Amino acid sequence: MNSTGDTEPDETNTPSGRTLALTVCSAAIGGTFQYGYNISIINAPTSYIQGFINDTYMERWGIALETTQVTLIWTVIVSAFSLGGLLGALLAGPLAVRFGRKNSLLLNNSFLFVGAAFVLTCRVARSFEMLILARFLVGINAGVSMNVQPMYFGESAPKHLRGAVAFSSAVFTAFGIFLGQVVGLTELLGTEPLWPYLLASNALPGLIQLLTLPWFPESPRYLLIDRGDREACVRALGRLRGGVAPVLEMEEMLQEQQQQKSAALNSGSAASATTPWSLFKNPDLRAQLRTVMAASSAMMLCGNDSFYFYASYIFLEAGIPPEKVQYVTIGTGASEFTASILSNLLIERVGRRSLLVGGYSLMSCWTVVFTVALTLQSRGVAGMPYLSMACVFSYILSFGLGPAGVTGILPAEIFDQGARPAAYMVAGSFMWISLFLLGMLFPFIVSGLGNFCFLPFLGVCLVSAVFFRLTLPETKGKTLAEITAEFDRKNGVKKERPDLKVDESIREHYQLGFTLITVYLPMCSGDSYTTN
């Protein structure tokens, strides 16, 4: 790096790359990993939990439940996860503002541990209601982490790695799905005596996060813009960038801080985080808000997660022998995990928009092929069950290539620091409401439409591909001001924007930070402090 700091350091060959990578792993293993893990582990013990529900009810009342009643209670247990996620999404914004990104993730583990305790004691207490409560608490944990973690990553990564780092949330989600399916095999924890331990095994990743994440820095943008702690920001940025904070990055953050203060001064109110309601009322952000609402809803309504909630039903419908279903289900998780890794490598080359539009376009094609395969299978055409299975894998691969990861990046890239928590609250709420509706309605869609059960998802994928093709600008490698200008251009908005040059007062602020970097930090031991 030159003396002026105009170039970005090579993150892959410096301690900053290692620090950033370890921060990502520590945050994600107790974050979005939990979302994927808890989606998949509920599938293996389905019959055992349904038996537990029926036995418990018979002990209490002396009569057995009907099959439809057991199915209804089971559906409530599954859907409680989505309701908890909705509450978690609403809590994520206030938590991120009040406690910070890192501390919010740490506090979030409390929901997980209480839920694990309920699961481990439900058989002793003879209470299936404890399972409903446990899944609700685990859902809160997932709802908070699905919003706070991408925010934390997007604010901690340098611009040239922002997409890849933020997309790692999707990689860990897919890894959680895959590992949950493996742990749920009958050879491991997917047996009748061990199913409570399977559902409570999510406490282990949470414990790993509690032991590791405190050693890594808080989001530099949160420290500077939200808390106004310039020295803490310099220390955190120094650790994430190999001991030297890039000049341009500091200038950009200080400029954003100054712009937020100026906006608050012009409005006559104190600077504070934007609320979801004020976000809806702001006409300047309407296009961005519409984009994240559509992306979050489409990610769930496209039907991908229905494969994990009801994977057994889908593969049985496709003609896979019952004894082979658990192994085929692992293939779905492996497919998304593979695709997410590939997409993580491509996102900074191909761009967000291309991956999102391309992913939904491919999913539309595979939905058509899958519907044809199911129809021919019902007429006795040989080989169709395997074509159906291939379509399912291809559908999940296409989802993992784009929508799975790009959707979580968008709020971090198209909203400023003040509006970002509220944007994630709105996006998360739409995501979890959509997931809840899908979880409740999908069994009825299958029974009602039969071989044509994926046609509603075809409509969602087609509309999403067209919508994002027409309205979403490419955000790769662009600053927030450039992205906002692109949104305005695409939506026909013409307005004057302030000069983006950094004024003298901001440069003076930066000089203080630069002095701290070059004079104060070398006097310290480098890693002997921990940024809160």
Side-chain angles (χ1 to χ4, degrees):
M1 190 173 93
N2 60 25
S3 60
T4 64
D6 290 339
T7 61
E8 297 284 358
D10 184 358
E11 291 287 332
T12 59
N13 297 319
T14 67
S16 67
R18 292 191 293 273
T19 301
L20 186 62
L22 291 174
T23 301
V24 166
C25 291
S26 179
I29 197 65
T32 54
F33 172 88
Q34 292 283 14
Y35 169 73
Y37 190 76
N38 285 291
I39 278 181
S40 61
I41 60 173
I42 196 64
N43 184 64
T46 298
S47 60
Y48 306 133
I49 295 177
Q50 290 177 345
F52 171 68
I53 293 170
N54 197 33
D55 294 343
T56 302
Y57 191 87
M58 181 174 291
E59 286 183 13
R60 290 181 188 175
W61 308 106
I63 57 175
L65 289 168
E66 296 180 4
T67 302
T68 54
Q69 293 174 315
V70 173
T71 303
L72 177 61
I73 296 175
W74 165 246
T75 303
V76 171
I77 292 174
V78 172
S79 300
F81 179 75
S82 304
L83 292 177
L86 174 59
L87 179 58
L90 296 175
L91 291 174
L95 283 174
V97 173
R98 174 67 179 84
F99 298 104
R101 286 39 166 167
K102 184 182 79 170
N103 288 334
S104 294
L105 291 173
L106 292 172
L107 292 171
N108 189 36
N109 287 294
S110 59
F111 299 110
L112 196 70
F113 296 141
V114 175
F118 280 134
V119 169
L120 291 174
T121 56
C122 68
R123 285 206 295 195
V124 176
R126 307 304 296 172
S127 172
F128 60 80
E129 293 86 354
M130 294 175 70
L131 287 177
I132 299 174
L133 185 56
R135 291 292 293 178
F136 182 76
L137 291 171
V138 169
I140 295 176
N141 172 273
V144 172
S145 63
M146 288 289 285
N147 283 6
V148 175
Q149 182 185 306
M151 201 185 312
Y152 182 30
F153 288 175
E155 294 173 6
S156 300
K159 184 172 64 175
H160 67 288
L161 291 178
R162 188 177 59 202
V165 169
F167 205 101
S168 62
S169 296
V171 174
F172 275 89
T173 298
F175 179 53
I177 291 172
F178 173 70
L179 187 61
Q181 292 169 339
V182 172
V183 175
L185 289 173
T186 52
E187 291 84 354
L188 297 175
L189 296 181
T191 60
E192 198 282 328
L194 297 179
W195 67 260
Y197 299 98
L198 172 61
L199 297 187
S201 62
N202 53 24
L204 182 59
L207 180 61
I208 294 174
Q209 184 182 80
L210 280 180
L211 295 175
T212 58
L213 190 57
W215 298 98
F216 297 105
E218 176 60 273
S219 156
R221 286 183 176 272
Y222 168 78
L223 293 171
L224 177 65
I225 300 175
D226 290 328
R227 284 179 47 182
D229 192 339
R230 196 175 299 112
E231 295 183 12
C233 171
V234 168
R235 291 196 298 268
L237 195 60
R239 292 190 64 190
L240 291 168
R241 304 293 183 268
V244 178
V247 173
L248 294 180
E249 194 168 356
M250 282 295 301
E251 287 182 348
E252 182 187 348
M253 285 192 289
L254 287 165
Q255 178 187 3
E256 186 175 343
Q257 181 192 39
Q258 186 70 12
Q259 288 175 343
Q260 287 200 15
K261 289 181 178 179
S262 299
L265 184 63
N266 292 335
S267 64
S269 61
S272 61
T274 305
T275 64
W277 179 242
S278 61
L279 202 61
F280 277 103
K281 294 193 298 182
N282 189 341
D284 293 337
L285 297 176
R286 200 158 287 161
Q288 290 90 320
L289 187 61
R290 184 168 57 244
T291 297
V292 298
M293 287 165 56
S296 299
S297 300
M299 186 175 73
M300 294 303 168
L301 294 178
C302 71
N304 185 77
D305 282 338
S306 63
F307 294 128
Y308 302 115
F309 276 147
Y310 301 100
S312 299
Y313 297 149
I314 290 175
F315 287 120
L316 287 173
E317 183 74 16
I320 304 301
E323 65 275 10
K324 302 292 184 182
V325 166
Q326 64 172 340
Y327 303 104
V328 176
T329 301
I330 290 179
T332 62
S335 295
E336 185 169 341
F337 184 41
T338 302
S340 63
I341 293 176
L342 177 60
S343 187
N344 188 265
L345 300 175
L346 292 176
I347 190 168
E348 293 298 347
R349 298 183 180 182
V350 178
R352 286 68 155 154
R353 180 169 173 264
S354 298
L355 287 177
L356 195 62
V357 174
Y360 280 121
S361 299
L362 288 173
M363 290 162 69
S364 301
C365 296
W366 293 120
T367 302
V368 173
V369 177
F370 186 51
T371 302
V372 173
L374 288 178
T375 303
L376 294 177
Q377 177 185 329
S378 66
R379 298 179 180 179
V381 179
M384 288 301 103
Y386 300 99
L387 177 59
S388 299
M389 185 172 63
C391 288
V392 171
F393 289 148
S394 299
Y395 191 89
I396 293 175
L397 279 167
S398 303
F399 177 80
L401 279 174
V406 176
T407 303
I409 297 174
L410 290 179
E413 292 197 331
I414 65 180
F415 289 93
D416 63 23
Q417 188 75 14
R420 196 170 293 133
Y424 268 107
M425 288 173 66
V426 173
S429 298
F430 273 78
M431 183 190 80
W432 287 102
I433 290 172
S434 300
L435 181 61
F436 173 75
L437 292 175
L438 181 63
M440 293 295 292
L441 295 177
F442 185 70
F444 301 100
I445 293 175
V446 172
S447 61
L449 297 180
N451 297 333
F452 302 97
C453 62
F454 277 79
L455 290 183
F457 304 139
L458 170 62
V460 172
C461 293
L462 283 175
V463 171
S464 300
V466 173
F467 176 80
F468 295 122
R469 175 69 177 82
L470 296 177
T471 64
L472 179 65
E474 180 54 63
T475 61
K476 180 186 69 173
K478 295 180 180 178
T479 64
L480 179 63
E482 293 170 334
I483 294 170
T484 303
E486 280 290 312
F487 267 106
D488 292 342
R489 183 185 63 81
K490 277 186 168 290
N491 290 276
V493 177
K494 295 181 179 180
K495 55 186 176 182
E496 295 294 329
R497 296 206 169 268
D499 189 358
L500 296 179
K501 293 182 179 180
V502 180
D503 61 30
E504 291 302 320
S505 63
I506 294 179
R507 291 188 181 277
E508 290 175 4
H509 288 320
Y510 170 72
Q511 289 300 325
L512 173 60
F514 187 76
T515 301
L516 287 169
I517 296 171
T518 57
V519 178
Y520 173 72
L521 290 183
M523 298 171 61
C524 302
S525 59
D527 290 332
S528 62
Y529 57 83
T530 300
T531 303
N532 293 325

